[in-house]
Amino acid sequence: MTELIAPTEQLHSSWLTARDEWPPGAHQDGAGLRLVDDEDLTSPEAFASWVEQLRQQSDRSLPVEEGHVHASHWWIVDGQTYLGAIDLRHYLNAVLLEVGGHIGYSIRPSARRQGLATWALGEVLLRAPALGLDRVLLTCDEGNVGSARTIESNGGVLEDVRSTGIGVKRRYWIALDGAGHSRSPMAATRTDAS
């Protein structure tokens, strides 16, 4: 059964297998790899330390590094198999407002085109109101048709397409009701990804 779980050192082997599916140097949105050099994560100790950093990033009583924001991280899993990651940034700084948004996600290459990103985004939207969010910003690269469809199927309304320092980005807002459901009439019914 597909579910969102907190990052755990118990999935070290599966996470490494997933990481090796990505091209060298590929960016994995929502994975929190900016907190660590992923080459060091082959060590169980380094991996456990990174997992703890991911967990602590959601604790607003702890400071975050300059340029970072508090964020909640989840892994998309099926049993003991790591399928991807998604994070919810609790607030936006200037960079996130321009290019990153509130939510980032990535699915390992072998698990794509199964509806996992759409499902995971829908699940995280349900959790956003608990942080006081009544709308969230999501962005994707101009040419990322799959991500644009994922956002739009969860009620994303395109605000604009703009050139940024890291490429052309599509910027979407999703307005939420108090339970985290999209208020957009265009939002599709969410389905179970299992």
Side-chain angles (χ1 to χ4, degrees), residues 17-96:
T17 301
R19 179 196 65 181
D20 292 344
E21 291 180 8
W22 292 81
H27 179 68
Q28 296 178 42
D29 288 320
L33 287 172
R34 68 194 176 288
L35 301 174
V36 69
D37 176 1
D38 74 329
E39 290 301 316
D40 294 338
L41 296 178
T42 54
S43 149
E45 297 79 16
F47 188 80
S49 176
W50 173 61
V51 164
E52 185 57 28
Q53 286 180 336
L54 292 177
R55 290 182 188 147
Q56 289 180 355
Q57 197 176 8
S58 67
D59 185 345
R60 289 203 186 184
S61 69
L62 299 174
V64 292
E65 292 181 36
E66 186 175 335
H68 293 256
V69 299
H70 290 93
S72 298
H73 296 270
W74 296 275
W75 287 354
I76 305 161
V77 301
D78 186 354
Q80 294 295 302
T81 303
Y82 172 91
L83 301 172
I86 188 165
D87 70 352
L88 172 60
R89 295 126 192 176
H90 297 188
Y91 46 90
L92 300 177
N93 59 19
V95 172
L96 292 174

Side-chain angles (χ1 to χ4, degrees), residues 143-158:
N144 190 339
V145 175
S147 191
R149 286 184 182 148
T150 292
I151 297 166
E152 291 167 0
S153 70
N154 274 286
V157 176
L158 184 66

